[in-house]
């Protein structure tokens, strides 16, 4: 009998580790200008996909979704068009190696930014649940370093610690993220019995997170000095 229970536990563990597939998300990012015109767009929506297997995930733009431009030329300036049409990051997480690699396009140059997977101190609200695409999801809350409140809904029915963007670490895949800065919601879940290949991005100059942040901050300061207060300052709200 004891061997029977050991076999069942082993089978369940193998089943969990074997889960793999692709989840598609709608990702809305909110931003604002100082002295922002009332007809200017205040958000940008992209469509992403999360490919995952038993060790890694890759979060990137979904090439199968084409977004039609709704705003007219007069509604947004060249800076807004450049921002909304900029290449989106590719985020790769290797959970065995506890490694995060992000491919970022910044001012026309590509970077490969390496970082360790950070521990996110979620607080799970077991009594709060919702249904997303037929999956029962539980609520979890996180406060980031800037005290922004982040709410996630994850499903224990896919018991892997994965999630979109940089979010992870819950006992189930995250299907929704909510905050004042962003909203990410799953639109489709496809689990697969066939192997799903998840590769790390490989395009760009390799930098640590600290090295890239230094380059980014210096470039942004250079732009602020160049433009001053002309046209107002843009503040992007992003988690």
């Amino acid at each position: 009998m004891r061997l029977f229970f050991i076999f069942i536990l082993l089978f369940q563990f193998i089943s969990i580790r074997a889960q793999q597939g692709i989840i598609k998300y709608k990702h809305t990012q909110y931003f604002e200008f100082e002295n922002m015109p009332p007809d200017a767009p205040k958000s940008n929506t992209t469509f992403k996909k999360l490919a995952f297997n038993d060790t890694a995930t890759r979060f990137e733009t979904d090439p199968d979704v084409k977004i039609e431009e709704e705003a007219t030329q007069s509604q947004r300036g060249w800076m807004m068009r450049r921002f909304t049409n900029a290449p989106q990051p590719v985020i790769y997480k290797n959970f065995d190696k506890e490694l995060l690699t992000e491919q970022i396009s910044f001012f026309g140059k590509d970077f490969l930014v390496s970082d360790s997977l950070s521990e996110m101190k979620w607080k799970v609200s077991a009594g709060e649940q919702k249904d997303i695409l037929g999956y029962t999801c539980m609520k979890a809350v996180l406060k980031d370093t800037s005290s922004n409140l982040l709410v996630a809904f994850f499903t224990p029915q896919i018991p892997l610690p994965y999630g979109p963007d940089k979010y992870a670490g819950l006992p189930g895949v995250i299907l929704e993220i909510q905050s004042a800065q962003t909203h990410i919601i799953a639109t489709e879940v496809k689990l697969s019995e066939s192997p799903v290949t998840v590769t790390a991005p490989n395009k760009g100059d390799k930098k640590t997170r600290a090295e890239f942040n230094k380059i980014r901050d210096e470039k942004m300061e250079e732009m602020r000095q160049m433009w001053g207060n002309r046209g107002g300052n843009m503040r992007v709200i992003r988690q």
Side-chain angles (χ1 to χ4, degrees):
M1 182 64 70
R2 185 174 181 179
L3 288 175
F4 173 79
F5 282 114
I6 292 174
F7 173 79
I8 292 296
L9 290 172
L10 181 61
F11 176 81
Q12 288 177 340
F13 176 76
I14 293 172
S15 298
I16 290 172
R17 294 287 289 177
Q19 282 193 320
Q20 54 197 324
I22 293 175
I23 302 175
K24 298 192 175 187
Y25 294 87
K26 180 181 178 181
H27 185 179
T28 302
Q29 179 181 341
Y30 303 99
F31 45 81
E32 64 180 304
F33 289 105
E34 292 179 3
N35 304 317
M36 193 170 186
D39 60 344
K42 297 177 177 62
S43 65
N44 182 48
T45 297
T46 54
F47 292 85
K48 307 289 186 70
K49 67 175 184 178
L50 181 77
F52 63 95
N53 56 26
D54 59 344
T55 60
T57 66
R58 179 177 170 128
F59 186 69
E60 61 189 324
T61 299
D62 185 355
D64 296 332
V65 179
K66 304 298 180 184
I67 303 176
E68 294 184 2
E69 182 62 63
E70 295 181 355
T72 64
Q73 190 80 0
S74 61
Q75 284 180 309
R76 63 175 76 189
W78 70 269
M79 185 177 288
M80 178 63 72
R81 292 195 303 273
R82 183 173 181 176
F83 170 71
T84 56
N85 296 325
Q88 297 293 308
V90 177
I91 300 173
Y92 170 83
K93 305 186 197 105
N94 187 308
F95 287 82
D96 278 358
K97 297 180 180 179
E98 298 185 352
L99 174 69
L100 184 148
T101 303
E102 186 173 6
Q103 181 177 294
I104 305 172
S105 180
F106 184 68
F107 279 89
K109 187 174 181 179
D110 292 316
F111 294 90
L112 278 178
V113 182
S114 61
D115 204 350
S116 58
L117 281 177
S118 59
E119 181 182 358
M120 297 184 175
K121 297 181 179 180
W122 299 96
K123 291 186 178 181
V124 176
S125 301
E128 297 188 55
Q129 299 181 357
K130 68 186 298 186
D131 181 277
I132 300 176
L133 300 175
Y135 290 89
T136 300
C137 295
M138 300 173 64
K139 180 180 177 181
V141 177
L142 174 72
K143 280 192 176 182
D144 68 11
T145 54
S146 59
S147 297
N148 291 320
L149 186 66
L150 185 84
V151 175
F153 286 92
F154 67 97
T155 177
Q157 292 173 257
I158 310 176
L160 295 167
Y162 300 162
D165 207 277
K166 297 178 184 178
Y167 306 112
L170 285 164
V173 171
I174 298 171
L175 296 185
E176 185 175 10
I177 293 286
Q178 303 173 356
S179 77
Q181 297 78 28
T182 191
H183 182 222
I184 307 174
I185 179 73
T187 59
E188 184 178 3
V189 177
K190 288 185 177 180
L191 299 181
S192 175
E193 295 182 359
S194 302
V196 173
T197 301
V198 180
T199 59
N202 57 12
K203 180 182 178 182
D205 291 346
K206 295 182 179 180
K207 301 291 181 182
T208 65
R209 180 67 61 184
E211 290 170 338
F212 174 76
N213 287 348
K214 185 174 184 293
I215 293 170
R216 179 200 61 196
D217 293 345
E218 289 174 350
K219 186 64 176 178
M220 295 306 292
E221 180 59 28
E222 177 186 323
M223 293 298 293
R224 277 192 291 268
Q225 292 180 6
M226 181 185 299
W227 288 96
N229 292 323
R230 286 180 291 174
N233 295 320
M234 182 178 182
R235 181 164 65 93
V236 178
I237 301 179
R238 188 177 189 274
Q239 190 69 22

